[in-house]
């Protein structure tokens, strides 16, 4: 019997020493690279919203438990706390493996070298060791108690285990709600959501995205406005010359758009819209002529969404124009909201989602986007995750206040954007919390939003070339195309990102 008691005592000592070594080792590694530890917690799908206080709490608790394990009077309570902590770590890893689309790591040293599956097994072993040590100690310290009470102690340990798991699940669900709908400006970066496949030197930086279809990209060129460059998936190039049904036309600011099977020649300063089919690349002038506009996006063969100037106050205004025998113009003055001058402060990017049948407008200088139906009726106003809700611009008035211009360099919040299906992709210019400045110097950040749910989803990087960063991009169901100086860079969407796209698909308007 004495040998059995000694064996239990030795086992308990070994378990406590193992916990001391593990907790001190893990806490020291976290403390030596605390900023990186906090960044990785901030990018964790489970703890993102609570990374600030949890990073400190984990560090303090690990050191505290390790210290208390060294004193006989507090050893059992400390081991009980260690059992709860390791249970929570185990639940965390299990949730990450089974319910997360990407897996960050916030460990250090040797533990960082383990795979997530190995780490799960490692944690389970320590949970079992602590549970067994506590059970054996309880049986040793309560020899006179009834067997029923003795056997009830494992049940208490199991209940403690379950309560610790529930606590982690509550953190997970709370963090998900905060991150998707009340984001405190913390980005999530999945591992390798896109893979660089090709880089093509176009020789000129005057190209812009005109459109795409399956396996083919179309680029317009500001210097040769009636030509398109077609590039297929094997990077084979073909020059296309568009023609129109006029001997001559006084164009002022041409932009080409391709939405197969149609293409468009758009000029908001003339103003005019030509449209035709990609089968022959011959366009017809649409009548009647549209109102003047500064930007426009095709909705169908005869309809565009546009941004023009209001006749009542000279502010920017959105509208929908339909050509043909049943032509109509519907203005939507309620969509753009003035903050300073109604022109610069409402500047932004206009998109149309064919799948959703929705107009999307993203402000350039504030953290807001607008989703409206095909008639310009507002569905809702959403927010990007940055905190710049007020346009930070200053206006100067020239020529006796008949002209206005920017009085100083302004903060561009959203530099460029693209819409693919129900997802909005935004190239943000504003660093978030727990982000490394070195990465921002080298790469452009793309934030992804689910327009069906009005929710932030995740972010990824597009790295620059030779010191040049992204100037525009286009997302398709299979690729992300990026223009960086004179280069066209092609990224393939990986399965994780594709699965995330399918997972967040839901509501249809």
């Amino acid at each position: 019997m004495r040998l059995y008691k000694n064996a239990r005592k030795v086992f308990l000592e070994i378990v406590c020493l193992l916990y001391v070594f593990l907790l001190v080792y893990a806490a020291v590694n976290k403390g030596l690279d605390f900023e990186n530890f906090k960044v990785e917690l901030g990018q964790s799908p489970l703890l993102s919203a609570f990374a600030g206080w949890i990073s400190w709490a984990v560090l303090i608790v690990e050191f505290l438990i390790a210290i208390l394990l060294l004193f006989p009077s507090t050893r059992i309570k400390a081991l009980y706390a260690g059992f709860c902590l390791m249970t929570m770590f185990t639940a965390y890893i299990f949730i990450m493996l089974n319910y997360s689309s990407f897996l960050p790591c916030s460990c250090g040293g040797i533990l960082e070298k383990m795979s997530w599956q190995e780490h799960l097994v490692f944690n389970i072993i320590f949970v079992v060791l602590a549970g067994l040590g506590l059970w054996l100690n309880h049986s040793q310290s309560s020899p006179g108690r009834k067997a029923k009470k003795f056997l009830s102690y494992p049940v208490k340990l199991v209940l403690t285990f379950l309560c610790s798991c529930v606590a982690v699940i509550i953190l997970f669900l709370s963090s998900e709600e905060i991150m998707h709908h009340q984001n405190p400006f913390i980005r999530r970066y999945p591992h390798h959501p896109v893979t660089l496949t090709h880089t093509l030197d176009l020789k000129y930086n005057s190209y812009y995205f005109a459109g795409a279809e399956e396996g083919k990209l179309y680029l317009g060129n500001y210097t040769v406005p009636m030509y398109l460059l077609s590039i297929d998936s094997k990077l084979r190039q073909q020059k296309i010359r568009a023609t129109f049904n006029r001997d001559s036309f006084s164009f002022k600011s041409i932009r080409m758009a391709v939405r197969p099977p149609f293409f468009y020649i758009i000029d908001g300063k003339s103003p005019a819209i030509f449209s035709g089919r990609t089968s022959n690349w011959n366009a017809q002038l649409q009548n009647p002529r549209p109102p003047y506009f500064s930007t426009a996006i095709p909705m169908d063969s005869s309809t565009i969404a546009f941004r023009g100037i209001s006749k009542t106050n000279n502010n920017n205004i959105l509208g929908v124009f339909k050509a043909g025998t049943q032509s109509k113009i519907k203005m939507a003055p309620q969509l753009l909201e003035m903050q300073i001058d109604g022109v610069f402060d409402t500047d932004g990017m206009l998109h149309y989602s064919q799948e959703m049948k929705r107009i999307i407008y993203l402000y350039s200088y504030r953290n807001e986007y607008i989703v409206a139906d095909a008639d310009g009726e507002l569905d809702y106003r959403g927010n990007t995750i940055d905190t710049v809700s007020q346009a930070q611009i200053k206006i100067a008035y020239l020529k006796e206040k008949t002209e206005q211009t920017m009085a100083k360099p302004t903060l561009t919040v959203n530099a460029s954007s693209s819409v693919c299906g129900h997802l909005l992709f935004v190239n943000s210019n504003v660093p978030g919390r727990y982000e490394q400045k070195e990465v921002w110097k080298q790469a452009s950040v793309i934030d992804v939003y689910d327009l069906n749910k009005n929710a932030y989803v995740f972010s990824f990087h597009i790295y620059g070339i030779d010191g040049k960063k992204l100037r525009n991009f286009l997302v398709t169901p299979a690729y992300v195309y990026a223009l960086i100086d004179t280069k066209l860079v092609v990224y393939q969407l990986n399965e994780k990102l594709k699965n995330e796209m399918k997972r967040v698909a839901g509501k249809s308007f």
Side-chain angles (χ1 to χ4, degrees):
M1 178 63 70
R2 175 174 291 182
L3 182 63
Y4 175 63
K5 289 183 179 180
N6 288 337
R8 288 190 298 187
K9 186 176 181 180
V10 170
F11 178 79
L12 184 62
E13 292 286 337
I14 291 173
V15 171
C16 290
L17 287 175
L18 285 173
Y19 261 80
V20 170
F21 175 77
L22 174 66
L23 293 173
V24 170
Y25 178 78
V28 167
N29 274 283
K30 292 183 180 79
L32 290 175
D33 196 7
F34 183 72
E35 285 304 313
N36 187 55
F37 168 59
K38 190 161 64 171
V39 166
E40 288 171 337
L41 273 186
Q43 296 173 9
S44 163
L46 196 152
L47 302 174
S48 307
F50 312 113
W53 66 267
I54 283 183
S55 57
W56 283 103
V58 169
L59 204 63
I60 292 170
V61 168
E62 286 180 340
F63 272 124
L64 184 61
I65 292 174
I67 292 170
L68 294 177
L69 282 169
L70 297 175
F71 301 99
S73 60
T74 56
R75 182 169 296 160
I76 299 304
K77 291 181 179 179
L79 185 59
Y80 201 86
F83 172 78
C84 294
L85 185 65
M86 290 304 295
T87 296
M88 295 178 79
F89 288 164
T90 304
Y92 169 80
I93 294 175
F94 179 82
I95 292 172
M96 293 292 290
L97 283 170
N98 292 277
Y99 301 100
S100 172
S101 59
F102 58 101
L103 303 171
C105 183
S106 51
C107 307
I110 297 172
L111 299 179
E112 195 175 33
K113 307 301 180 185
M114 292 184 182
S115 70
W116 280 80
Q117 289 77 9
E118 291 169 342
H119 210 151
L120 179 64
V121 173
F122 179 85
N123 282 12
I124 290 173
I125 291 172
F126 268 81
V127 170
V128 172
L129 285 174
L132 189 57
L134 289 167
W135 184 24
L136 292 177
N137 176 76
H138 178 77
S139 64
Q140 181 179 351
S141 60
S142 310
R145 296 189 179 186
K146 295 181 180 180
K148 183 177 180 181
K149 290 187 177 181
F150 166 66
L151 293 174
S152 69
Y153 194 72
V155 176
K156 292 180 180 178
L157 286 176
V158 171
L159 290 175
T160 302
F161 177 88
L162 292 175
C163 288
S164 300
C165 292
V166 168
V168 176
I169 292 171
I170 291 172
L171 280 176
F172 170 65
L173 295 176
S174 300
S175 181
E176 286 294 283
E177 172 63 22
I178 291 171
M179 287 298 295
H180 288 307
H181 299 287
Q182 306 165 32
N183 191 288
F185 206 4
I186 301 172
R187 289 188 171 94
R188 289 177 168 179
Y189 294 98
H191 290 312
H192 311 299
V194 295
T195 301
L196 177 63
T197 59
H198 300 98
T199 300
L200 177 65
D201 192 350
L202 301 171
K203 307 298 182 184
Y204 304 100
N205 63 2
S206 53
Y207 283 101
Y208 62 88
F209 292 112
E213 60 181 321
E214 188 174 354
K216 191 170 289 188
L217 175 70
Y218 296 98
L219 297 174
N221 193 321
Y222 291 114
T223 59
V224 280
M226 295 304 295
Y227 281 84
L228 288 167
L229 181 64
S230 168
I231 302 174
D232 66 16
S233 57
K234 296 182 179 179
L235 300 188
R236 291 177 298 203
Q237 302 177 40
Q238 179 186 2
K239 289 184 178 179
I240 300 170
R241 185 179 187 278
T243 59
F244 54 94
N245 64 335
R246 291 294 178 100
D247 294 334
S248 64
F249 193 87
S250 179
F251 287 112
K252 296 178 182 178
S253 179
I254 290 180
R255 188 176 180 92
M256 303 276 281
V258 182
R259 303 291 184 271
F262 303 103
F263 80 100
Y264 308 82
I265 304 170
I266 299 173
D267 185 345
K269 292 184 178 180
S270 291
I273 299 172
F274 290 77
S275 66
R277 291 187 171 270
T278 56
S279 55
N280 58 19
W281 297 103
N282 181 259
Q284 310 292 318
L285 177 64
Q286 297 291 302
N287 285 307
R289 303 272 285 273
Y292 289 93
F293 57 84
S294 53
T295 186
I297 193 80
M299 297 171 63
D300 59 38
S301 60
S302 61
T303 309
I304 63 164
F306 68 92
R307 187 189 69 207
I309 298 296
S310 170
K311 294 180 180 179
T312 58
N313 54 20
N314 292 324
N315 291 345
N316 282 334
I317 187 172
L318 296 181
V320 176
F321 168 73
K322 182 177 179 60
T325 54
Q326 296 182 334
S327 65
K328 66 176 182 178
I329 301 174
K330 183 171 182 181
M331 308 306 289
Q334 77 283 2
L335 294 182
L336 298 184
E337 294 184 331
M338 181 180 75
Q339 290 185 337
I340 299 170
D341 70 323
V343 179
F344 290 110
D345 64 341
T346 57
D347 195 14
M349 292 147 273
L350 182 62
H351 299 281
Y352 181 71
S353 171
Q354 190 64 48
E355 292 81 359
M356 295 174 61
K357 308 296 183 189
R358 285 301 182 271
I359 298 167
I360 299 97
Y361 189 83
L362 174 70
Y363 289 108
S364 294
Y365 303 116
R366 61 177 112 157
N367 65 344
E368 186 178 327
Y369 58 88
I370 299 164
V371 179
D373 67 17
D375 292 322
E377 295 296 329
L378 179 68
D379 282 329
Y380 69 87
R381 300 180 189 277
N383 292 104
T384 54
I385 60 174
D386 61 86
T387 56
V388 186
S389 59
Q390 186 77 17
Q392 299 179 16
I393 62 177
K394 186 175 181 181
I395 306 301
Y397 294 90
L398 308 175
K399 296 183 179 180
E400 297 182 352
K401 297 188 177 183
T402 59
E403 292 183 9
Q404 55 191 49
T405 186
M406 293 284 196
K408 64 177 182 178
T410 187
L411 171 64
T412 301
V413 176
N414 304 308
S416 56
S417 57
S418 181
V419 169
C420 182
H422 63 286
L423 296 181
L424 170 64
F425 296 78
V426 180
N427 172 207
S428 174
N429 267 348
V430 186
R433 295 169 64 190
Y434 315 124
E435 294 184 12
Q436 298 170 331
K437 293 180 180 179
E438 293 77 13
V439 176
W440 272 83
K441 294 177 182 178
Q442 306 169 24
S444 300
V445 170
I446 307 297
D447 297 326
V448 186
Y449 299 88
D450 176 11
L451 296 173
N452 279 336
K453 298 181 179 180
N454 187 16
Y456 166 74
V457 185
F458 54 77
S459 303
F460 60 91
H461 291 114
I462 292 181
Y463 282 85
I465 300 174
D466 299 329
K468 302 290 186 180
K469 294 179 70 174
L470 177 76
R471 61 184 176 88
N472 207 349
F473 71 104
L474 178 70
V475 182
T476 71
Y479 298 99
V480 176
Y481 298 97
L483 289 173
I484 302 174
D485 195 28
T486 64
K487 307 289 195 306
L488 172 68
V489 183
V490 184
Y491 290 86
Q492 185 172 11
L493 303 188
N494 290 343
E495 287 304 313
K496 287 183 180 180
L497 196 149
K498 290 181 180 178
N499 291 338
E500 190 70 20
M501 284 183 173
K502 295 176 184 175
R503 187 179 74 81
V504 298
K507 163 186 172 187
S508 59
F509 291 92

